[in-house]
Amino acid sequence: MRRPFRFALLSSAAAICATAAYAEQTTGWPDVTPKWWTPPAGATQPSNEVAKPDAGTAKSDDSVAKSDTPASSAPPSDSNSAAILSAAELKLADKDFIGKFNKADVEALAEHFRGPGAKPLWTTSEGYNANAKAVASHLSKAADWGLDSAAFEMPALTSGALSADQQADAEARLTLMAMKYARFARGGRLNPSSLSRILDMDPPVKDAKDVVASLASSSNPAAYLIEQQPKHEQFQRLRQALLKLRGPAASDDEPVDEALKIKLPDSKAVIKVGAESDDIALLRKRLKVQADDASKDKVFDARLSEAVTAFQVEKGLKPSGQLNAQTRRALNSVGEPKKSSPQQSEQRIIVNMEKWRWMPENLGANYIMNNVPEFQTRYVKDGKELFKEKIIAGQPEWATPLFSSKMEFVIFNPSWGVPDGIKVRELMPRIKKASGGDSIFDFFDGGGGGGARVLKAYGLVAYKNGKVVDPNSINWNNTDIRSFSFTQPPGGQNPLGFVKFRFPNKHDVYMHDTTQRNLFAQSYRALSHGCMRIQNPRRLSEVILGEDKGWSPERVGQAISSSADITLDKPFPVHTTYFTAMVDDAGKVTTFGDLYGHDGKISAALGRTMSFDGGNSIETASTEADAGNDVIVTDDGTVITGKKAKKGKEAKTSAKKYAAPENLSDAVSGLLGN
């Protein structure tokens, strides 16, 4: 009996729609609600909580975001509501109407309109209700959350009675826009993997059916939309920094630390403890370290050397404790005006907010975060940092992928297995290069074949199906080298050092010790083949096994001596990230170089072509980003880039041809660089 009745209503609604005159309203948003989610002027204190409103506003933000009290009473019963929803459903079949909307959203909303108990959410014949006005007001301020307000196009919410067609249009359009906002808030604006295959992130976008059901059942849908924004502390801090950046300019009368005005003369001379120089008197004023004896103000003593070392560590410089040219430049640069433009600073924050949307909602009670552009790893428990240390990450041509996995194993004195990428791009070219001819057999006479020499130089053993194979028996020119396993046993030359931290993933990336500890003294540490090397792996082992098994440092030492492979009782998340802007407790934003060009690509995909080259004391790799290229974002968030990007076709981009190292020693260095 239900279907004939609905068809009758549908026909009635169609007739109403056919005769109703629809006029696009252009009067803008009515000022019916307080200014939401904007902190008081000059506010700088970052917070995990949603920003609070100015005192004296008509309605507090907390009442919008957290109150169980409906924003307005439920819409009055309208005998024509079924006809309105049927007319709204017809609009969802109109290609001109739905052309700019997400297909999954449209299908979910159409199903909702057909469902039992469905009612108009935003309108009655008397006009728009309070929930409609609240949602519209919030969408108009989407830019306060790092989104684009222009992406949410809706008819103006005029006062007074509405025609049946206006009601149907509002029910379809406003609901779809709210669904779009919910999707964008949770990272559905872009598909990360379409920007780069190493952006292996899975934004926590909610199912469209769940979103429309929540909007329909919520007494305060505007608050529901706000709840879709990430709760991560850094996201909230970045948002506060964005609002501050867009706020009133800082006063020129703000006090400036006099010490920052002191500039040391440019010089290549290296001043060590015990030396005497006029520059030392300036250095003391710059670092605020007085001499114990005023007569020795120009003498470089141990206390001043300690202060120099602390500064060098803070800036990622080699901690020599000596005054050298690099340290002079770093000291002089602190306090100088930022070179980046306000637009670049704002866009960098927006790009990093977008990357936080791609993160899992729950990072874990305890987790490791490897932030590649910062060259830092952190172990966090209950929001507190238990471990922080330098890391070495992948070179731009061997970029470290971005993904989340779970730490499952700590392996002491591991063997090293050569990853497929290194087999193809490093090992195979070396075998052929060492052979000196088209066939490796040309050099096996007398047991001195090129393949054997290369594997011996690396200390590698070749395996096929778990069995050791003689490299002299293989015609490598007709073989896929990836079908073989190559393993280096534990030892002083093993590139993994004494410990490997394994969190299984499709990229075959992990964290480990290294034999090249001297590289941690460099500020630029994009030096590996994708894996992450840790400066203090023993301490990380102690933290992980202390938390997981309650082991003491001494017990960990015993495991190291016994070459144990340890399976964790409670695997925990490992997040490998690419945040180029971080906000500290005081609200200060620190930036890092766009090492792999990801920020430039993300910015272009979001509609603003911009290059991000700089960062605080971190050099930037020379990479080819898509800055300056056309960018298309498809309906599902897929990004298409290229010099002349065309809708529906991905432009072909040229890649640099890989150049093999010239000699065997370079090949060994390349392999050991993992």
Side-chain angles (χ1 to χ4, degrees):
M1 295 297 294
R2 175 178 174 80
R3 185 175 297 274
F5 178 67
R6 281 301 293 268
F7 279 145
L9 289 177
L10 200 61
S11 300
S12 175
I16 294 173
C17 292
T19 57
Y22 175 74
E24 180 72 22
Q25 301 295 324
T26 58
T27 56
W29 302 113
D31 187 14
V32 295
T33 56
K35 198 170 185 179
W36 289 10
W37 309 105
T38 302
T44 61
Q45 180 61 38
S47 171
N48 289 332
E49 300 297 325
V50 176
K52 295 183 179 180
D54 296 333
T57 53
K59 183 190 296 182
S60 74
D61 292 339
D62 287 341
S63 70
V64 174
K66 301 176 182 178
S67 173
D68 292 328
T69 304
S72 67
S73 58
S77 178
D78 190 333
S79 59
N80 202 34
S81 63
I84 296 301
L85 293 186
S86 294
E89 186 181 345
L90 277 180
K91 287 186 175 293
L92 300 183
D94 183 346
K95 292 183 179 180
D96 292 334
F97 180 85
I98 65 173
K100 62 181 66 177
F101 296 112
N102 179 271
K103 181 179 179 181
D105 288 351
V106 171
E107 291 176 351
L109 183 55
E111 182 177 331
H112 171 75
F113 284 153
R114 293 191 296 268
K119 297 179 180 179
L121 299 181
W122 319 110
T123 66
T124 68
S125 59
E126 297 176 0
Y128 297 100
N129 61 29
N131 277 342
K133 295 174 183 177
V135 166
S137 179
H138 181 63
L139 297 189
S140 73
K141 298 177 176 66
D144 288 351
W145 292 90
L147 300 175
D148 183 5
S149 299
F152 307 100
E153 303 172 5
M154 291 169 292
L157 271 62
T158 55
S159 58
L162 299 174
S163 69
D165 187 67
Q166 286 176 313
Q167 281 188 261
D169 184 271
E171 293 301 328
R173 190 182 301 270
L174 185 51
T175 309
L176 285 171
M177 285 298 175
M179 295 173 73
K180 182 179 184 180
Y181 181 96
R183 180 160 40 84
F184 280 19
R186 300 177 73 87
R189 184 157 49 157
L190 301 177
N191 180 356
S193 62
S194 67
L195 282 168
S196 171
R197 64 181 179 79
I198 66 171
L199 291 177
D200 189 11
M201 315 293 285
D202 186 18
V205 179
K206 283 189 174 180
D207 183 85
K209 294 179 182 179
D210 294 336
V211 173
V212 70
S214 295
L215 287 169
S217 63
S218 175
S219 61
N220 194 342
Y224 169 78
L225 293 181
I226 294 170
E227 286 297 311
Q228 304 316 300
Q229 296 286 351
K231 307 299 189 302
H232 305 306
E233 181 179 7
Q234 276 296 315
F235 177 88
Q236 296 292 341
R237 289 184 177 189
L238 285 166
R239 178 176 176 265
Q240 295 294 335
L242 178 65
L243 293 174
K244 182 180 178 181
L245 190 64
R246 290 172 171 171
S251 171
D252 293 335
D253 298 330
E254 288 186 6
V256 178
D257 189 339
E258 292 298 321
L260 298 181
K261 297 179 180 179
I262 296 172
K263 305 299 179 184
L264 298 172
D266 289 335
S267 173
K268 294 182 179 180
V270 177
I271 300 179
K272 304 178 181 180
V273 173
E276 186 172 350
S277 168
D278 290 341
D279 291 357
I280 300 305
L282 291 174
L283 181 62
R284 288 188 180 281
K285 292 179 180 179
R286 172 63 184 82
L287 294 178
K288 302 179 181 179
V289 179
Q290 295 182 348
D292 294 333
D293 183 343
S295 65
K296 297 182 178 180
D297 192 48
K298 299 181 181 181
V299 177
F300 196 0
D301 59 23
R303 276 188 61 220
L304 185 57
S305 178
E306 290 176 1
V308 170
T309 299
F311 175 81
Q312 290 168 332
V313 170
E314 177 188 350
K315 296 302 177 184
L317 305 175
K318 183 178 180 179
S320 65
Q322 302 170 2
L323 180 61
N324 52 34
Q326 191 178 24
T327 304
R328 288 173 185 265
R329 289 194 297 269
L331 285 163
N332 290 342
S333 68
V334 177
E336 290 182 350
K338 295 180 179 179
K339 295 181 181 179
S340 59
S341 67
Q343 293 81 8
Q344 187 186 56
S345 298
E346 178 180 308
Q347 189 67 1
R348 187 189 290 271
I349 290 175
I350 290 172
V351 165
N352 278 274
M353 290 175 71
E354 191 69 19
K355 286 181 284 189
W356 273 106
R357 301 183 199 278
W358 302 345
M359 296 293 291
E361 287 184 84
N362 183 1
L363 298 179
N366 59 310
Y367 61 88
I368 282 177
M369 180 173 287
N370 299 307
N371 192 32
V372 172
E374 188 184 8
F375 301 120
Q376 291 280 354
T377 186
R378 295 172 173 83
Y379 182 102
V380 178
K381 179 182 179 183
D382 298 330
K384 295 182 179 179
E385 235 175 56
L386 299 187
F387 176 86
K388 178 181 177 182
E389 191 53 271
K390 294 179 181 179
I391 60 172
I392 291 170
Q395 307 165 45
E397 61 268 29
W398 290 89
T400 299
L402 294 313
F403 64 98
S404 293
S405 185
K406 283 200 171 184
M407 182 73 73
E408 296 185 11
F409 309 100
V410 177
I411 304 169
F412 292 117
N413 299 304
S415 295
W416 177 53
V418 182
D420 282 348
I422 297 181
K423 293 176 192 175
V424 173
R425 294 177 62 185
E426 294 274 16
L427 188 55
M428 193 62 172
R430 300 314 165 267
I431 291 176
K432 292 183 177 181
K433 180 85 171 177
S435 299
D438 293 333
S439 173
I440 199 167
F441 293 103
D442 296 340
F443 289 82
F444 283 151
D445 293 337
R453 287 190 286 116
V454 170
L455 297 186
K456 183 178 179 181
Y458 295 158
L460 297 174
V461 178
Y463 294 85
K464 179 77 170 184
N465 298 324
K467 296 181 180 180
V468 176
V469 298
D470 178 2
N472 293 0
S473 66
I474 308 300
N475 183 347
W476 298 101
N477 290 322
N478 297 325
T479 300
D480 183 351
I481 196 171
R482 293 172 296 181
S483 65
F484 291 82
S485 298
F486 299 89
T487 302
Q488 186 185 63
Q493 298 303 313
N494 188 296
L496 303 186
F498 78 88
V499 63
K500 170 182 175 180
F501 303 93
R502 186 163 172 253
F503 35 101
N505 60 85
K506 69 181 183 182
H507 305 283
D508 197 21
V509 166
Y510 40 86
M511 302 164 67
H512 61 86
D513 181 25
T514 179
T515 56
Q516 299 175 302
R517 298 183 184 278
N518 59 302
L519 298 180
F520 289 105
Q522 299 181 198
S523 59
Y524 177 81
R525 297 192 293 278
L527 305 168
S528 81
H529 281 73
C531 287
M532 291 154 284
R533 313 179 212 168
I534 314 163
Q535 184 172 27
N536 191 350
R538 171 149 187 165
R539 179 56 189 150
L540 181 57
S541 303
E542 293 171 351
V543 171
I544 291 175
L545 296 175
E547 290 294 321
D548 186 76
K549 297 184 180 298
W551 286 7
S552 66
E554 292 74 21
R555 177 68 182 86
V556 173
Q558 294 171 8
I560 294 173
S561 300
S562 64
S563 301
D565 289 7
I566 302 164
T567 301
L568 300 184
D569 297 328
K570 300 180 288 293
F572 62 91
V574 177
H575 307 292
T576 305
T577 63
Y578 193 86
F579 295 117
T580 55
M582 303 280 281
V583 186
D584 65 16
D585 293 343
K588 178 184 176 183
V589 180
T590 300
T591 59
F592 311 100
D594 186 11
L595 186 64
Y596 304 147
H598 291 325
D599 280 13
K601 294 178 183 179
I602 296 169
S603 181
L606 294 178
R608 178 179 289 185
T609 299
M610 192 167 287
S611 177
F612 303 93
D613 293 331
N616 289 352
S617 76
I618 299 293
E619 299 175 31
T620 304
S622 177
T623 59
E624 292 186 357
D626 282 346
N629 293 349
D630 294 326
V631 176
I632 291 174
V633 182
T634 64
D635 192 53
D636 64 356
T638 298
V639 181
I640 300 176
T641 62
K643 294 291 184 181
K644 296 180 179 179
K646 296 180 180 180
K647 189 173 182 181
K649 295 182 180 180
E650 183 166 359
K652 294 182 179 179
T653 56
S654 60
K656 289 184 178 179
K657 185 177 180 181
Y658 174 70
E662 291 298 320
N663 54 58
L664 190 59
S665 62
D666 288 342
V668 174
S669 297
L671 281 170
L672 295 183
N674 189 57

